[in-house]
Amino acid sequence: MQTVDTASRLGLRLDGTGAWFAVHSASATSVTLVVPATPAHAELRVPITPDGTVAGVWSGRVDGIAVGDPYHLLVDGPDGPRHDFDPERPLLDPYARGIVPSATTPGGWTSVAVSDDFDWGDVPKPMTPLDRTVLYEANVRTLTAGNPDVPEHLRGTYAGIAHESTIRHLRRLGVTAVELLPVHAFTSEQWLHGTGRENAWGYNSLGFFAPHAAYASMPARDAGADAVLREFKGMVRILHEAGIQVVLDVVYNHTAEEGRGGPTTSLRGIDGANAYRWTSDETDPAYFDVTGCGNSLNTSHEPMADLVIDSLRYWAEEVQVDGFRFDLMAALARNAEHAFDPDHPILDRMRDDPALRDVLLVAEPWDVGPDGWKTGAFGRGVAEWNDGFRDTVRQFWLTDIARERREGSPQTGIGALAGALTGSRHMFGVDRGPLAGVAFVTAHDGFTMRDLVSYDTKHNEANGEDNRDGTNDNRSFNHGVEGPTEDKGVRTHRQRSLRNLMGTLLLSAGIPMLTAGDERGRTQHGNNNAYAITDDTVWVDWSPIPEAESLIDDTAALIRLRQAHPALRPSRFGVEGAVTPSASRMTWYATDGELMTRERWDEATHRALQYFVESTPEHEEYDRVLVVVHGSGRTRDITLPRHDDVESYRLAWSSERHRDHDRQRPAGTIFTAYGPGIHVFEIR
């Protein structure tokens, strides 16, 4: 097969008097592009013919189509158990850059011709170094839907994220990148339609090039797909002007066509035999589904891999986004035999494509298929969600503290938390370094941080599945009362636990990711799977209540500390006996100020350490910090260590609310920890 620059050929490309159109199907016998009648022209029906130079590509000229015109495909082909052709069924262009509800087909969708023109105003991408990156995962709707400072008609939209009040909050926090839950055009699953509910997260893509129209403001939606795209680009430009990057959560592992009985909207009707993964049974073939969503995109079929790469190029170059987080990325890296391959060609293309060389690539490193958990396996150029960090941090600060209260002693020692703090070397290896891991305590799925400290069990009744959905392994602790309470003691303990979780996240090596609203104590009322909840029970609450404002201040202070101290954000792992630039040298002390002994690492009754960390300068000045971790509810005196050239320590931040932050404490003196806490000392 000849090589073709599909990004410049496939899809619809306007040129002033019409457009060139191309689509790939290895199985079709005819393709027709239909432009319904508009006030400007009668209906257009244009036969699209085999390209003649590239196998499987169909192309043709469409005169008269213009910006704003809807269009669809009609595709015919052979019968067979893996085919689903219907020459009368309208289909979406897989490369459509505009997708809106169909005006003629109830519940259907149509492609729309849009313009690529946009005035970027010479605003550059921020290009934030990875070690300084702090991600902020957000849903377009829930982030600003409840923000009274955003005009009502812009709340819950792209324009709402670009509003000055949202930008002001993001800059107050100090986050460097907004990671948006899926914004590719999506729809709700059929079974949700049947219950009168809708997909609130967007993990059900209709197409990989068009922004989701329902997230645009009503004026843009009324103006059409072209205005929706302009609003999205405008959001990117304004965030870039503020120095904030835009990362997209992308869903390429499956589509909204679901299983064999699902709606056929695009790929299945164009070339379903090759678009999706199939079992090897030739007499009764079925989809080989590793996503749990009915189908899995077949990235071992080169045109499907092209589709993914072309989409990434489009968003990175023409829409100027700065990175991508890949939902169930293990599914994309499965080979023709459906086995995970860390050297899969699609991964190499992502790493090496010039258009993607400077963008952030983050894997959700698993799927639900055989041998699907692949954290640590993605290799160079791809960072990975570190679920081990999540579980370790929750266990240490919540589950173990709860057990100490009940039984007198926790279950685990300090060793696992120390590994998480320093970048999970055991998971990612020396060659990849700590920036291979994205550290997180919460994400869109699961408890919010507030709910982690307020509920022992999930409360998903609102999802309509009798509380069966969602994980039971939450590693949470309600601190004595399930749910909301006016008990001041419980509220105080919860606030300290929130600070411990946030502090560990933002003081750890790796790339930290916050979930929107955690910085102000957002609750989902114990729902750990709010995928179909769209009302104000899941919106970020922007009320200026004291507890929320206090936690925002703590989050911002921690991010400032992180940015000020390169020792806390190494780019490499050090190697014993060698000086490694941009690594951190670590010295571990026990509570008595002496070096940690092997026995104390895993003693469940010890659970305390002092982490003296020094940078190895490469791009910044030499730096050193002392982090003290005390993982027990018991009061403990801690002797601040004597270390080379250290005269004294100044408490820069504490989750315990110590009164004398600015006092210099000579090395060798006592610091008293009154309960579970994390403390950061700057060094003189």
Side-chain angles (χ1 to χ4, degrees):
M1 179 184 294
Q2 288 180 261
T3 301
V4 60
D5 180 5
T6 54
S8 66
R9 293 178 61 98
L10 297 187
L12 191 78
R13 297 293 182 269
L14 296 169
D15 61 11
T17 60
W20 285 97
F21 177 78
V23 65
H24 191 283
S25 175
S27 307
T29 57
S30 72
V31 178
T32 303
L33 188 144
V34 179
V35 183
T38 72
H41 57 72
E43 180 185 85
L44 305 174
R45 282 182 173 251
V46 180
I48 305 300
T49 59
D51 182 89
T53 59
V54 182
V57 172
W58 299 67
S59 62
R61 172 79 187 170
V62 186
D63 290 320
I65 190 171
V67 171
D69 282 348
Y71 69 99
H72 61 261
L73 304 179
L74 302 175
V75 184
D76 200 5
D79 294 329
R82 299 190 184 200
H83 295 303
D84 192 12
F85 290 107
D86 180 347
E88 300 302 318
R89 179 173 52 211
L91 298 171
L92 291 169
D93 169 14
Y95 280 70
R97 301 184 179 194
I99 295 176
V100 298
S102 172
T104 58
T105 305
W109 304 89
T110 189
S111 309
V112 181
V114 299
S115 170
D116 292 330
D117 293 339
F118 186 77
D119 181 9
W120 289 100
D122 296 323
V123 177
K125 290 186 177 184
M127 302 300 290
T128 307
L130 271 186
D131 68 302
R132 289 183 171 271
T133 296
V134 179
L135 297 169
Y136 185 82
E137 187 198 51
N139 180 299
V140 172
R141 177 185 288 158
T142 60
L143 178 58
T144 66
N147 186 351
D149 292 333
V150 174
E152 187 172 1
H153 70 288
L154 300 181
R155 294 174 194 167
T157 70
Y158 303 126
I161 291 179
H163 189 265
E164 61 183 0
S165 66
T166 313
I167 300 291
R168 184 167 58 248
H169 177 68
L170 297 173
R171 296 191 69 174
R172 174 186 174 186
L173 287 177
V175 296
T176 68
V178 173
E179 180 181 311
L180 298 177
L181 264 64
V183 294
H184 288 170
F186 66 85
T187 187
S188 297
E189 293 83 347
Q190 292 296 101
W191 76 271
L192 280 176
H193 281 301
T195 64
R197 293 181 292 159
E198 63 178 284
N199 187 312
W201 288 348
Y203 293 90
N204 201 43
S205 302
L206 285 163
F208 300 146
F209 291 79
H212 188 57
Y215 283 164
S217 62
M218 190 56 70
R221 292 164 64 183
D222 289 344
D226 193 62
V228 170
L229 179 57
R230 286 199 306 273
E231 182 173 309
F232 189 95
K233 289 180 177 178
M235 174 196 68
V236 174
R237 182 181 64 190
I238 290 171
L239 286 167
H240 283 178
E241 286 174 342
I244 298 170
Q245 295 181 303
V246 179
V247 176
L248 303 186
D249 192 334
V250 287
V251 188
Y252 296 116
N253 57 77
H254 75 282
T255 75
E257 292 186 308
E258 303 183 27
R260 295 302 305 281
T264 297
T265 56
S266 184
L267 293 175
R268 181 188 287 130
I270 295 171
D271 194 11
N274 295 298
Y276 298 116
R277 294 185 178 276
W278 293 84
T279 63
S280 58
D281 188 339
E282 295 299 331
T283 58
D284 186 23
Y287 282 158
F288 188 87
D289 178 20
V290 297
T291 69
C293 300
N295 64 66
S296 300
L297 200 71
N298 183 13
T299 51
S300 292
H301 180 54
E302 189 173 356
M304 290 301 99
D306 289 342
L307 177 66
V308 173
I309 297 299
D310 294 344
S311 171
L312 295 172
R313 288 174 176 169
Y314 171 70
W315 291 98
E317 292 189 312
E318 297 193 38
V319 193
Q320 291 289 291
V321 304
D322 305 280
F324 305 94
R325 177 268 186 189
F326 296 84
D327 180 63
L328 299 182
M329 196 177 191
L332 296 182
R334 288 181 179 267
N335 61 24
E337 288 72 43
H338 312 312
F340 177 82
D341 180 3
D343 298 314
H344 194 289
I346 198 170
L347 297 181
D348 287 337
R349 293 179 67 181
M350 290 178 189
R351 297 173 183 124
D352 299 332
D353 192 300
L356 305 177
R357 194 165 292 155
D358 294 324
V359 304
L360 174 64
L361 304 175
V362 177
E364 183 181 37
W366 50 78
D367 62 25
V368 300
D371 193 28
W373 186 80
K374 292 298 176 184
T375 307
F378 276 80
R380 66 179 179 90
V382 179
E384 303 176 38
W385 270 23
N386 188 350
D387 53 317
F389 179 96
R390 173 199 63 199
D391 295 346
T392 296
V393 172
R394 291 184 183 189
Q395 175 85 26
F396 186 85
W397 291 117
L398 300 176
T399 312
D400 280 351
I401 298 298
R403 175 170 167 158
E404 182 185 55
R405 282 195 186 184
R406 291 192 313 267
E407 303 177 19
S409 65
Q411 181 176 350
T412 62
I414 196 76
L417 187 75
L421 271 170
T422 55
S424 301
R425 180 195 298 250
H426 68 288
M427 183 67 67
F428 301 110
V430 172
D431 290 344
R432 295 181 67 192
L435 298 177
V438 172
F440 67 106
V441 176
T442 64
H444 62 277
D445 52 349
F447 277 153
T448 67
M449 198 176 285
R450 167 66 64 182
D451 289 353
L452 278 176
V453 305
S454 304
Y455 295 90
D456 277 356
T457 59
K458 66 186 182 184
H459 296 267
N460 294 359
E461 291 79 9
N463 297 350
E465 299 182 49
D466 297 323
N467 208 35
R468 294 188 303 269
D469 64 303
T471 182
N472 294 313
D473 183 19
N474 296 294
R475 306 188 189 206
S476 59
F477 175 34
N478 68 15
H479 293 78
V481 178
E482 188 76 352
T485 181
E486 294 303 316
D487 185 302
K488 290 184 178 180
V490 171
R491 291 170 72 100
T492 296
H493 286 304
R494 287 177 177 177
Q495 284 294 106
R496 179 166 61 187
S497 288
L498 285 172
R499 292 191 294 270
N500 287 335
L501 294 170
M502 191 70 78
T504 307
L505 173 65
L506 292 171
L507 297 173
S508 293
I511 303 171
M513 183 187 78
L514 302 173
T515 302
D518 276 354
E519 78 280 4
R520 57 192 317 133
R522 181 177 78 95
T523 180
Q524 292 180 167
H525 311 284
N527 194 321
N528 73 356
N529 192 34
Y531 65 98
I533 309 298
T534 58
D535 60 24
D536 59 4
T537 60
V538 296
W539 295 353
V540 173
D541 183 356
W542 291 77
S543 303
I545 60 176
E547 284 183 351
E549 291 299 310
S550 176
L551 189 55
I552 292 169
D553 287 341
D554 276 299
T555 304
L558 285 162
I559 293 176
R560 287 195 300 271
L561 268 175
R562 180 182 186 86
Q563 302 294 27
H565 291 288
L568 295 172
R569 43 181 173 82
S571 300
R572 300 184 181 96
F573 288 127
V575 177
E576 188 172 358
V579 176
T580 305
S582 293
S584 290
R585 295 190 297 269
M586 294 159 283
T587 309
W588 303 93
Y589 293 97
T591 54
D592 59 6
E594 301 298 321
L595 294 175
M596 281 283 285
T597 61
R598 183 181 300 274
E599 293 76 17
R600 285 180 167 178
W601 281 111
D602 296 313
E603 284 179 358
T605 55
H606 189 66
R607 288 176 59 83
L609 59 75
Q610 302 185 76
Y611 167 44
F612 192 102
V613 56
E614 305 171 78
S615 68
T616 308
E618 184 176 16
H619 307 295
E620 299 179 77
E621 295 296 319
Y622 170 73
D623 174 57
R624 52 188 179 173
V625 178
L626 177 70
V627 178
V628 177
V629 178
H630 178 229
S632 170
R634 300 183 177 91
T635 297
R636 173 170 279 167
D637 286 340
I638 296 172
T639 302
L640 298 178
R642 300 182 187 277
H643 194 90
D644 293 345
D645 302 322
V646 173
E647 296 179 7
S648 62
Y649 300 90
R650 185 187 73 86
L651 185 61
W653 184 85
S654 171
S655 64
E656 276 191 16
R657 293 292 184 253
H658 275 260
R659 299 173 187 171
D660 49 353
H661 274 57
D662 290 327
R663 179 168 68 85
Q664 295 292 333
R665 303 165 189 264
T669 58
I670 298 295
F671 169 77
T672 302
Y674 296 99
I678 186 167
H679 319 275
V680 185
F681 290 88
E682 293 177 324
I683 297 169
R684 185 178 171 184

Short mmCIF file of all heavy atoms in Angstrom, two decimals, residues 305-345:
data_model
loop_
_atom_site.label_atom_id
_atom_site.label_comp_id
_atom_site.label_asym_id
_atom_site.label_seq_id
_atom_site.Cartn_x
_atom_site.Cartn_y
_atom_site.Cartn_z
N ALA A 305 -5.50 3.38 13.00
CA ALA A 305 -4.38 4.07 13.67
C ALA A 305 -4.18 5.46 13.07
O ALA A 305 -3.93 6.43 13.79
CB ALA A 305 -3.11 3.23 13.55
N ASP A 306 -4.32 5.57 11.73
CA ASP A 306 -4.22 6.88 11.08
C ASP A 306 -5.28 7.83 11.62
O ASP A 306 -5.01 9.02 11.85
CB ASP A 306 -4.42 6.74 9.57
CG ASP A 306 -3.26 6.06 8.86
OD1 ASP A 306 -2.16 5.99 9.44
OD2 ASP A 306 -3.46 5.60 7.72
N LEU A 307 -6.50 7.31 11.80
CA LEU A 307 -7.59 8.14 12.30
C LEU A 307 -7.23 8.75 13.66
O LEU A 307 -7.45 9.95 13.90
CB LEU A 307 -8.86 7.29 12.42
CG LEU A 307 -10.10 7.96 12.99
CD1 LEU A 307 -10.61 9.05 12.06
CD2 LEU A 307 -11.20 6.92 13.24
N VAL A 308 -6.66 7.94 14.54
CA VAL A 308 -6.27 8.43 15.86
C VAL A 308 -5.15 9.46 15.75
O VAL A 308 -5.22 10.55 16.33
CB VAL A 308 -5.83 7.25 16.76
CG1 VAL A 308 -5.26 7.77 18.08
CG2 VAL A 308 -7.01 6.32 17.02
N ILE A 309 -4.11 9.15 15.00
CA ILE A 309 -2.98 10.06 14.87
C ILE A 309 -3.41 11.36 14.20
O ILE A 309 -3.00 12.46 14.61
CB ILE A 309 -1.83 9.40 14.08
CG1 ILE A 309 -1.29 8.17 14.84
CG2 ILE A 309 -0.71 10.40 13.82
CD1 ILE A 309 -0.71 8.47 16.20
N ASP A 310 -4.24 11.28 13.17
CA ASP A 310 -4.70 12.49 12.48
C ASP A 310 -5.53 13.37 13.40
O ASP A 310 -5.44 14.61 13.37
CB ASP A 310 -5.52 12.13 11.25
CG ASP A 310 -4.69 11.44 10.18
OD1 ASP A 310 -3.45 11.51 10.26
OD2 ASP A 310 -5.29 10.84 9.26
N SER A 311 -6.34 12.74 14.25
CA SER A 311 -7.11 13.51 15.23
C SER A 311 -6.18 14.22 16.21
O SER A 311 -6.36 15.42 16.49
CB SER A 311 -8.05 12.57 15.99
OG SER A 311 -8.67 13.23 17.08
N LEU A 312 -5.18 13.52 16.72
CA LEU A 312 -4.24 14.15 17.64
C LEU A 312 -3.52 15.32 16.98
O LEU A 312 -3.35 16.40 17.57
CB LEU A 312 -3.22 13.12 18.13
CG LEU A 312 -3.76 11.98 18.98
CD1 LEU A 312 -2.67 10.94 19.23
CD2 LEU A 312 -4.31 12.49 20.30
N ARG A 313 -3.09 15.13 15.74
CA ARG A 313 -2.42 16.21 15.01
C ARG A 313 -3.33 17.43 14.87
O ARG A 313 -2.91 18.57 15.04
CB ARG A 313 -2.03 15.73 13.62
CG ARG A 313 -0.88 14.76 13.53
CD ARG A 313 -0.74 14.30 12.10
NE ARG A 313 0.39 13.43 11.86
CZ ARG A 313 0.56 12.74 10.73
NH1 ARG A 313 -0.35 12.83 9.77
NH2 ARG A 313 1.61 11.97 10.58
N TYR A 314 -4.59 17.16 14.52
CA TYR A 314 -5.54 18.25 14.33
C TYR A 314 -5.69 19.09 15.59
O TYR A 314 -5.58 20.32 15.57
CB TYR A 314 -6.90 17.69 13.90
CG TYR A 314 -8.00 18.73 13.90
CD1 TYR A 314 -8.02 19.74 12.94
CD2 TYR A 314 -9.00 18.71 14.86
CE1 TYR A 314 -9.01 20.71 12.94
CE2 TYR A 314 -10.00 19.67 14.87
CZ TYR A 314 -10.00 20.66 13.90
OH TYR A 314 -10.98 21.63 13.92
N TRP A 315 -5.94 18.42 16.71
CA TRP A 315 -6.14 19.17 17.96
C TRP A 315 -4.85 19.86 18.42
O TRP A 315 -4.90 20.97 18.96
CB TRP A 315 -6.65 18.23 19.05
CG TRP A 315 -8.05 17.76 18.80
CD1 TRP A 315 -8.44 16.59 18.23
CD2 TRP A 315 -9.26 18.48 19.07
NE1 TRP A 315 -9.81 16.52 18.15
CE2 TRP A 315 -10.34 17.67 18.65
CE3 TRP A 315 -9.53 19.73 19.63
CZ2 TRP A 315 -11.67 18.07 18.77
CZ3 TRP A 315 -10.86 20.12 19.76
CH2 TRP A 315 -11.91 19.31 19.33
N ALA A 316 -3.71 19.24 18.18
CA ALA A 316 -2.44 19.83 18.61
C ALA A 316 -2.02 20.99 17.73
O ALA A 316 -1.47 22.00 18.23
CB ALA A 316 -1.34 18.77 18.62
N GLU A 317 -2.26 20.92 16.43
CA GLU A 317 -1.80 21.95 15.52
C GLU A 317 -2.87 23.00 15.25
O GLU A 317 -2.64 24.19 15.45
CB GLU A 317 -1.35 21.31 14.20
CG GLU A 317 -0.10 20.46 14.33
CD GLU A 317 0.45 20.03 12.98
OE1 GLU A 317 -0.34 19.54 12.14
OE2 GLU A 317 1.67 20.19 12.77
N GLU A 318 -4.03 22.59 14.81
CA GLU A 318 -5.03 23.55 14.38
C GLU A 318 -5.88 24.09 15.53
O GLU A 318 -6.47 25.17 15.42
CB GLU A 318 -5.92 22.94 13.30
CG GLU A 318 -5.14 22.59 12.03
CD GLU A 318 -6.03 22.28 10.86
OE1 GLU A 318 -7.07 22.94 10.70
OE2 GLU A 318 -5.70 21.35 10.10
N VAL A 319 -5.98 23.35 16.63
CA VAL A 319 -6.73 23.83 17.78
C VAL A 319 -5.79 24.20 18.93
O VAL A 319 -6.21 24.71 19.95
CB VAL A 319 -7.79 22.79 18.22
CG1 VAL A 319 -8.78 23.40 19.21
CG2 VAL A 319 -8.57 22.28 17.01
N GLN A 320 -4.50 23.92 18.76
CA GLN A 320 -3.45 24.41 19.66
C GLN A 320 -3.49 23.84 21.07
O GLN A 320 -3.01 24.47 22.02
CB GLN A 320 -3.48 25.94 19.72
CG GLN A 320 -3.06 26.63 18.43
CD GLN A 320 -1.57 26.48 18.16
OE1 GLN A 320 -0.73 27.05 18.87
NE2 GLN A 320 -1.24 25.70 17.15
N VAL A 321 -4.09 22.64 21.25
CA VAL A 321 -4.08 22.07 22.59
C VAL A 321 -2.68 21.54 22.91
O VAL A 321 -1.87 21.28 22.03
CB VAL A 321 -5.14 20.97 22.77
CG1 VAL A 321 -6.53 21.50 22.43
CG2 VAL A 321 -4.82 19.74 21.96
N ASP A 322 -2.44 21.35 24.21
CA ASP A 322 -1.08 21.10 24.69
C ASP A 322 -0.81 19.66 25.11
O ASP A 322 0.33 19.31 25.41
CB ASP A 322 -0.79 22.01 25.89
CG ASP A 322 -1.04 23.46 25.56
OD1 ASP A 322 -0.16 24.08 24.94
OD2 ASP A 322 -2.13 23.97 25.91
N GLY A 323 -1.85 18.84 25.16
CA GLY A 323 -1.62 17.47 25.59
C GLY A 323 -2.89 16.65 25.56
O GLY A 323 -4.00 17.17 25.34
N PHE A 324 -2.71 15.36 25.84
CA PHE A 324 -3.82 14.41 25.77
C PHE A 324 -3.67 13.38 26.88
O PHE A 324 -2.58 12.88 27.15
CB PHE A 324 -3.83 13.68 24.43
CG PHE A 324 -3.87 14.60 23.24
CD1 PHE A 324 -2.70 15.00 22.62
CD2 PHE A 324 -5.08 15.09 22.76
CE1 PHE A 324 -2.72 15.86 21.53
CE2 PHE A 324 -5.11 15.96 21.68
CZ PHE A 324 -3.94 16.34 21.06
N ARG A 325 -4.79 13.07 27.51
CA ARG A 325 -4.86 11.96 28.45
C ARG A 325 -5.75 10.90 27.79
O ARG A 325 -6.88 11.16 27.43
CB ARG A 325 -5.44 12.42 29.78
CG ARG A 325 -5.62 11.30 30.83
CD ARG A 325 -7.01 10.70 30.74
NE ARG A 325 -7.28 9.74 31.80
CZ ARG A 325 -8.35 8.97 31.84
NH1 ARG A 325 -9.26 9.01 30.88
NH2 ARG A 325 -8.53 8.13 32.83
N PHE A 326 -5.22 9.69 27.61
CA PHE A 326 -5.88 8.66 26.83
C PHE A 326 -6.67 7.71 27.73
O PHE A 326 -6.09 6.97 28.52
CB PHE A 326 -4.85 7.86 26.02
CG PHE A 326 -4.13 8.67 24.99
CD1 PHE A 326 -3.02 9.43 25.33
CD2 PHE A 326 -4.57 8.69 23.67
CE1 PHE A 326 -2.35 10.18 24.38
CE2 PHE A 326 -3.90 9.44 22.71
CZ PHE A 326 -2.80 10.19 23.06
N ASP A 327 -7.97 7.71 27.57
CA ASP A 327 -8.84 6.80 28.29
C ASP A 327 -8.53 5.36 27.87
O ASP A 327 -8.42 5.06 26.68
CB ASP A 327 -10.30 7.15 27.98
CG ASP A 327 -11.29 6.26 28.68
OD1 ASP A 327 -11.31 6.28 29.91
OD2 ASP A 327 -12.04 5.55 27.98
N LEU A 328 -8.40 4.46 28.86
CA LEU A 328 -8.15 3.03 28.61
C LEU A 328 -7.10 2.84 27.50
O LEU A 328 -7.32 2.14 26.51
CB LEU A 328 -9.45 2.32 28.23
CG LEU A 328 -10.57 2.34 29.27
CD1 LEU A 328 -11.78 1.55 28.76
CD2 LEU A 328 -10.12 1.79 30.61
N MET A 329 -5.93 3.42 27.70
CA MET A 329 -4.94 3.44 26.63
C MET A 329 -4.37 2.06 26.31
O MET A 329 -3.87 1.83 25.21
CB MET A 329 -3.80 4.40 26.96
CG MET A 329 -2.96 4.75 25.74
SD MET A 329 -1.67 5.96 26.14
CE MET A 329 -1.09 6.41 24.50
N ALA A 330 -4.45 1.14 27.26
CA ALA A 330 -3.96 -0.21 26.96
C ALA A 330 -4.69 -0.80 25.76
O ALA A 330 -4.12 -1.58 24.98
CB ALA A 330 -4.12 -1.12 28.18
N ALA A 331 -5.96 -0.41 25.56
CA ALA A 331 -6.73 -0.92 24.43
C ALA A 331 -6.14 -0.48 23.09
O ALA A 331 -6.22 -1.21 22.10
CB ALA A 331 -8.18 -0.47 24.53
N LEU A 332 -5.56 0.71 23.06
CA LEU A 332 -4.97 1.22 21.81
C LEU A 332 -3.70 0.48 21.44
O LEU A 332 -3.32 0.45 20.27
CB LEU A 332 -4.67 2.71 21.93
CG LEU A 332 -5.85 3.66 22.14
CD1 LEU A 332 -5.37 5.09 22.19
CD2 LEU A 332 -6.90 3.48 21.05
N ALA A 333 -3.02 -0.08 22.43
CA ALA A 333 -1.72 -0.70 22.20
C ALA A 333 -1.80 -2.22 22.12
O ALA A 333 -0.80 -2.91 22.31
CB ALA A 333 -0.75 -0.29 23.31
N ARG A 334 -2.96 -2.74 21.81
CA ARG A 334 -3.10 -4.18 21.60
C ARG A 334 -2.84 -4.49 20.12
O ARG A 334 -3.28 -3.76 19.23
CB ARG A 334 -4.48 -4.67 22.03
CG ARG A 334 -4.65 -4.67 23.55
CD ARG A 334 -6.02 -5.17 23.98
NE ARG A 334 -6.16 -5.19 25.42
CZ ARG A 334 -5.91 -6.23 26.22
NH1 ARG A 334 -5.49 -7.37 25.67
NH2 ARG A 334 -6.06 -6.15 27.52
N ASN A 335 -2.15 -5.60 19.88
CA ASN A 335 -1.77 -5.95 18.51
C ASN A 335 -2.88 -6.73 17.80
O ASN A 335 -4.00 -6.84 18.31
CB ASN A 335 -0.45 -6.72 18.51
CG ASN A 335 -0.54 -8.02 19.30
OD1 ASN A 335 -1.61 -8.60 19.49
ND2 ASN A 335 0.61 -8.50 19.77
N ALA A 336 -2.57 -7.28 16.65
CA ALA A 336 -3.57 -7.98 15.86
C ALA A 336 -4.12 -9.21 16.57
O ALA A 336 -5.23 -9.67 16.28
CB ALA A 336 -2.99 -8.38 14.50
N GLU A 337 -3.36 -9.74 17.52
CA GLU A 337 -3.83 -10.88 18.31
C GLU A 337 -4.48 -10.42 19.61
O GLU A 337 -4.75 -11.21 20.51
CB GLU A 337 -2.67 -11.83 18.62
CG GLU A 337 -2.17 -12.63 17.42
CD GLU A 337 -1.42 -11.76 16.41
OE1 GLU A 337 -0.60 -10.92 16.86
OE2 GLU A 337 -1.66 -11.92 15.20
N HIS A 338 -4.68 -9.11 19.75
CA HIS A 338 -5.34 -8.48 20.90
C HIS A 338 -4.49 -8.50 22.16
O HIS A 338 -5.01 -8.30 23.26
CB HIS A 338 -6.70 -9.12 21.19
CG HIS A 338 -7.58 -9.31 20.00
ND1 HIS A 338 -7.81 -8.30 19.08
CD2 HIS A 338 -8.31 -10.38 19.57
CE1 HIS A 338 -8.63 -8.74 18.14
NE2 HIS A 338 -8.93 -10.00 18.40
N ALA A 339 -3.19 -8.72 22.04
CA ALA A 339 -2.30 -8.69 23.19
C ALA A 339 -1.64 -7.32 23.30
O ALA A 339 -1.29 -6.71 22.29
CB ALA A 339 -1.24 -9.78 23.08
N PHE A 340 -1.44 -6.85 24.53
CA PHE A 340 -0.79 -5.56 24.73
C PHE A 340 0.65 -5.60 24.25
O PHE A 340 1.39 -6.54 24.53
CB PHE A 340 -0.81 -5.18 26.22
CG PHE A 340 -0.09 -3.89 26.52
CD1 PHE A 340 -0.71 -2.67 26.34
CD2 PHE A 340 1.23 -3.90 26.98
CE1 PHE A 340 -0.06 -1.49 26.61
CE2 PHE A 340 1.90 -2.72 27.25
CZ PHE A 340 1.25 -1.51 27.06
N ASP A 341 1.06 -4.58 23.50
CA ASP A 341 2.41 -4.48 22.96
C ASP A 341 2.98 -3.11 23.28
O ASP A 341 2.55 -2.10 22.73
CB ASP A 341 2.38 -4.69 21.44
CG ASP A 341 3.76 -4.59 20.80
OD1 ASP A 341 4.75 -4.43 21.54
OD2 ASP A 341 3.84 -4.67 19.56
N PRO A 342 3.95 -3.03 24.21
CA PRO A 342 4.52 -1.73 24.57
C PRO A 342 5.24 -1.05 23.41
O PRO A 342 5.52 0.15 23.47
CB PRO A 342 5.49 -2.06 25.71
CG PRO A 342 5.82 -3.50 25.52
CD PRO A 342 4.59 -4.14 24.95
N ASP A 343 5.54 -1.82 22.35
CA ASP A 343 6.17 -1.26 21.16
C ASP A 343 5.18 -1.18 19.99
O ASP A 343 5.58 -1.19 18.82
CB ASP A 343 7.37 -2.12 20.75
CG ASP A 343 8.45 -2.15 21.82
OD1 ASP A 343 8.77 -1.08 22.35
OD2 ASP A 343 8.94 -3.25 22.13
N HIS A 344 3.92 -1.11 20.31
CA HIS A 344 2.90 -1.01 19.27
C HIS A 344 3.19 0.19 18.37
O HIS A 344 3.58 1.26 18.85
CB HIS A 344 1.52 -0.85 19.91
CG HIS A 344 0.37 -1.07 18.97
ND1 HIS A 344 0.05 -0.20 17.96
CD2 HIS A 344 -0.54 -2.09 18.90
CE1 HIS A 344 -1.01 -0.65 17.31
NE2 HIS A 344 -1.38 -1.80 17.86
N PRO A 345 3.03 0.04 17.05
CA PRO A 345 3.34 1.16 16.14
C PRO A 345 2.61 2.45 16.47
O PRO A 345 3.16 3.53 16.27
CB PRO A 345 2.91 0.61 14.77
CG PRO A 345 3.06 -0.87 14.90
CD PRO A 345 2.69 -1.19 16.31
#
